[in-house]
Amino acid sequence: MKPAAWGLAALALVAAGACGSGTEPAQPTPMNVVAEGYVKLVLALGQHDAAYVDAYYGPPEWKTQAEQRKQPLAEIDAEAARLIDAMGSPPAGADPDDLTVLRHVYLRRQLEALRARVRMLSGATFTFDEESQALYDAVAPVRSEFSFQITLTELETLLPGQGPLIERYDAFRKDFIVAPDRLGRVFDAAIAECRKRTLPHAELPAGETFTVEFVTKKSWSGYNWYQGNYRSLIQVNTDLPIYIDRAVDLACHEGYPGHHVYNALLEKHLMRDRGWVEASVYALFSPQSLIAEGTANYGIEVAFPGDERLVFEREVLFPAAGLKADRAAEYSRVQALVDQLSYAGNDAARRYLNKEIDRQAAIEWLTRFAMMSPARAEQRTRFFDDYRSYVINYNLGKDLVKQYIESRGGAGADPARRWQEFVRLLGSPRLPSGLRPAS
Ligand SMILES: [Zn+2]
């Protein structure tokens, strides 16, 4: 379908829907029209919130129109409400896994999240959990300090010595920093391996590619800016030391089979093959982000089942970084425990954003329970300032995606089945609340 044609068709159909107040019952607005309205509202909201439009590769004139007329927030909200009303319901009894049903439910929920973001930008305040439910369709569980303490006690045994655990951890990690002049070759090797592992399972569009840039002075550690045409720009923040495990994390999360593949498959299957224009825009503060971050994080396990990551790191990345390969297993054991503390990061964000604790107390909490160095913890609180409850998308997102894929036969000794379910999820418009395990 030719994108430019949609503008006129949409105007005509929206006008017909808006005037349908006579005796005849209003017909639901066709989904392509709702989708076009949704894209335009996301672009309009982007004029009020610089981070909101994370990617857009639809008709360029829609973006120009949004820039030329800064639509007031109240108007954006009213139009979103009108679209939700006009879209009707999916056919009764339809298969909930059918793509057209998923599309319907997805667009409605994305529009509701857009309305929540409008309320936030208009001055409404939400608690952390209210906000994550409204924007990301999910609420992260609260874990007890006791559960973190069990993991910290295990770490104590792996990192014996005097002084606070975080200082011992920092000292231990110094041996695993990748020198700046080796970053390029280490990341290149990791990206090549992740791509090689993804290709047999995901049919990637011809010409897909990305470039990597090293940047500074950001509150995030890495970012994928999807450009459309199956291309991504991946930025890596070098403000803080980069440890060897970041190579596989970043190559999988930002690249293969993470964000780059996710965006490329949405562009191919939904936007180009079906003409579903909503796929051409990515609203950052929306349920889509939980799926994006959750698949990007779970994708690491999909690409490297069992101990394959350790083997690859030990045999390829440690030597490329000039690090001692015989310490790879030790480092991997420590990192696996630190990963178990990820929910402590959510708790710090929840308390900080609910104004129960100040920045200094949040830094101390992250240092104590999430094993972040004070510098990293400070960077993380700035991430909380910028992205707020977005933090749940990484760890809760991963857990929900993992649970979903594994409940559909992707668990255990069948990596091919796991890939199949994973790739299907990447190319479909599924919501976080739609990740309930299959019974
Ligand atoms: Zn990400």
Side-chain angles (χ1 to χ4, degrees):
M1 193 180 293
K2 198 156 166 276
W6 296 333
L8 291 174
L11 276 179
L13 286 160
V14 166
C19 298
S21 55
T23 49
E24 289 183 20
Q27 290 294 313
T29 303
M31 291 307 287
N32 279 352
V33 178
V34 174
E36 177 175 331
Y38 164 73
V39 174
K40 289 179 171 177
L41 287 173
V42 171
L43 296 174
L45 191 49
Q47 297 303 307
H48 297 266
D49 178 356
Y52 191 65
V53 183
D54 193 70
Y56 178 62
Y57 52 85
E61 61 272 24
W62 293 2
K63 185 160 178 272
T64 313
Q65 284 160 12
E67 288 162 355
Q68 282 170 348
R69 179 178 173 259
K70 187 174 174 178
Q71 207 175 359
L73 287 172
E75 208 179 286
I76 294 172
D77 188 52
E79 284 198 27
R82 223 171 11 246
L83 276 179
I84 291 170
D85 272 354
M87 66 195 294
S89 309
D95 176 1
D97 278 344
D98 182 89
L99 264 188
T100 58
V101 175
L102 289 176
R103 180 191 199 197
H104 196 116
V105 176
Y106 173 85
L107 268 173
R108 175 184 294 274
R109 189 64 185 82
Q110 288 287 117
L111 281 163
E112 287 167 357
L114 178 141
R115 295 192 68 198
R117 188 66 185 165
V118 168
R119 285 197 292 282
M120 287 174 70
L121 293 170
S122 306
T125 52
F126 295 105
T127 65
F128 182 86
D129 290 339
E130 287 167 353
E131 179 186 308
S132 77
Q133 177 59 41
L135 296 183
Y136 308 116
D137 199 30
V139 172
V142 178
R143 297 270 164 91
S144 67
E145 284 183 29
F146 179 69
S147 72
F148 302 136
Q149 201 54 57
I150 292 171
T151 304
L152 293 172
T153 304
E154 280 186 70
L155 270 172
E156 289 275 357
T157 62
L158 288 182
L159 302 167
Q162 299 297 312
L165 180 59
I166 182 63
E167 287 175 16
R168 277 178 271 151
Y169 175 56
D170 262 358
F172 165 78
R173 279 183 108 195
K174 284 203 169 62
D175 292 343
F176 302 96
I177 291 173
V178 182
D181 64 336
R182 291 192 182 243
L183 279 177
R185 84 181 77 164
V186 169
F187 278 130
D188 285 350
I191 289 163
E193 180 69 15
C194 293
R195 187 168 187 275
K196 192 178 92 186
R197 287 169 176 264
T198 302
L199 282 179
H201 306 284
E203 204 180 316
L204 297 185
E208 60 77 23
T209 184
F210 63 74
T211 47
V212 178
E213 277 181 11
F214 295 104
V215 299
T216 55
K217 298 186 174 56
K218 306 291 179 190
S219 64
W220 38 258
S221 55
Y223 212 112
N224 179 320
W225 303 97
Y226 190 67
Q227 322 267 288
N229 268 330
Y230 312 133
R231 286 164 192 271
S232 294
L233 168 63
I234 292 176
Q235 292 186 322
V236 182
N237 183 359
T238 57
D239 282 340
L240 296 176
I242 293 189
Y243 300 90
I244 188 67
D245 54 305
R246 280 293 289 147
V248 164
D249 277 351
L250 183 126
C252 280
H253 182 105
E254 309 291 351
Y256 307 93
H259 293 325
H260 174 68
V261 171
Y262 170 68
N263 283 293
L265 292 182
L266 288 180
E267 179 174 357
K268 171 79 176 72
H269 295 310
L270 303 189
M271 171 75 180
R272 297 202 187 199
D273 292 353
R274 291 174 176 263
W276 290 3
V277 73
E278 67 272 27
S280 71
V281 78
Y282 179 176
L284 190 67
F285 305 115
S286 77
Q288 182 174 5
S289 279
L290 185 137
I291 303 292
E293 301 298 358
T295 49
N297 272 353
Y298 182 56
I300 301 167
E301 279 179 37
V302 176
F304 292 92
D307 66 353
E308 290 182 25
R309 173 177 180 167
L310 171 60
V311 170
F312 171 66
E313 288 181 329
R314 186 179 62 215
E315 292 177 6
V316 178
L317 296 187
F318 272 66
L323 302 177
K324 290 181 179 147
D326 59 357
R327 297 193 63 198
E330 181 191 358
Y331 186 63
S332 169
R333 269 198 304 277
V334 170
Q335 285 310 110
L337 284 175
V338 172
D339 284 349
Q340 290 178 16
L341 297 167
S342 68
Y343 282 88
N346 292 354
D347 288 348
R350 182 185 281 110
R351 291 169 185 221
Y352 174 69
L353 293 168
N354 285 347
K355 301 196 184 332
E356 292 163 20
I357 56 174
D358 63 11
R359 183 183 307 277
Q360 192 49 42
I363 291 171
E364 282 164 19
W365 174 274
L366 289 168
T367 306
R368 182 172 168 208
F369 289 111
M371 280 292 102
M372 290 187 190
S373 67
R376 172 97 179 87
E378 198 276 336
Q379 185 193 59
R380 195 65 178 163
T381 61
R382 286 188 287 110
F383 188 90
F384 297 164
D385 293 334
D386 291 345
Y387 296 98
R388 302 182 52 86
S389 64
Y390 192 94
V391 292
I392 71 154
N393 293 329
Y394 299 99
N395 54 348
L396 180 65
K398 177 188 169 182
D399 288 347
L400 292 177
V401 167
K402 180 182 169 78
Q403 204 177 52
Y404 170 78
I405 301 278
E406 295 186 352
S407 79
R408 295 168 73 97
D414 190 355
R417 179 68 193 274
R418 176 154 59 177
W419 267 109
Q420 195 181 25
E421 290 294 340
F422 183 76
V423 170
R424 183 177 297 148
L425 175 60
L426 287 183
S428 62
R430 189 174 286 275
L431 289 169
S433 53
L435 291 177
R436 280 182 294 272
S439 48

